[in-house]
Amino acid sequence: MIEVYIDGASAGDPGPSGAGVFIKDGAGQVERYSIPLGLMSNHEAEYRALLAALQICIDKHYSVVSFRTDSKLVDEAIEKQYVKNKLFQPLLEEALLLIEKLDLFFIKWIPSNQNKTADELARKAIRSIDKQK
């Protein structure tokens, strides 16, 4: 099973944002992605990190995946297939459509201290935006 750690981060609310995606396969191989996202809220960055990671998994034909996030908002939205904030409804719908393309999908909330690599990758993406200015 493929383990996927995701995190979104923003330098401000809204502010320059980035997504971090850290993927581990059963053989110990790892992939790291730092994805600049532009200006958005931290919560939107968390959803964008989920969407980016789902698309990476689909593109790489990873069909059995277990996601880890330190965002309770994203974890609960996926588990309940519902969001309170209607601004996030299109992001949730897009995520659910991508999840349907996978054979098996799990998502689990983890504490931030267990998601440090994805967090570092998200912050690296923000720094790359700052360097482009």
Side-chain angles (χ1 to χ4, degrees), residues 48 51 54-55 89-99:
R48 296 284 177 192
L51 293 171
L54 286 167
Q55 192 60 59
Q89 187 66 39
L91 298 171
L92 174 61
E93 289 173 7
E94 186 177 346
L96 294 173
L97 288 172
L98 291 172
I99 289 167

Side-chain angles (χ1 to χ4, degrees), residues 41 47 104 114 132:
S41 72
Y47 277 101
L104 198 54
Q114 293 178 22
Q132 293 173 6

Side-chain angles (χ1 to χ4, degrees), residues 72-85:
K72 287 187 179 183
L73 182 82
V74 168
D75 176 58
E76 290 176 6
I78 296 298
E79 292 291 339
K80 295 176 182 177
Q81 298 187 9
Y82 172 80
V83 290
K84 287 182 187 175
N85 186 333

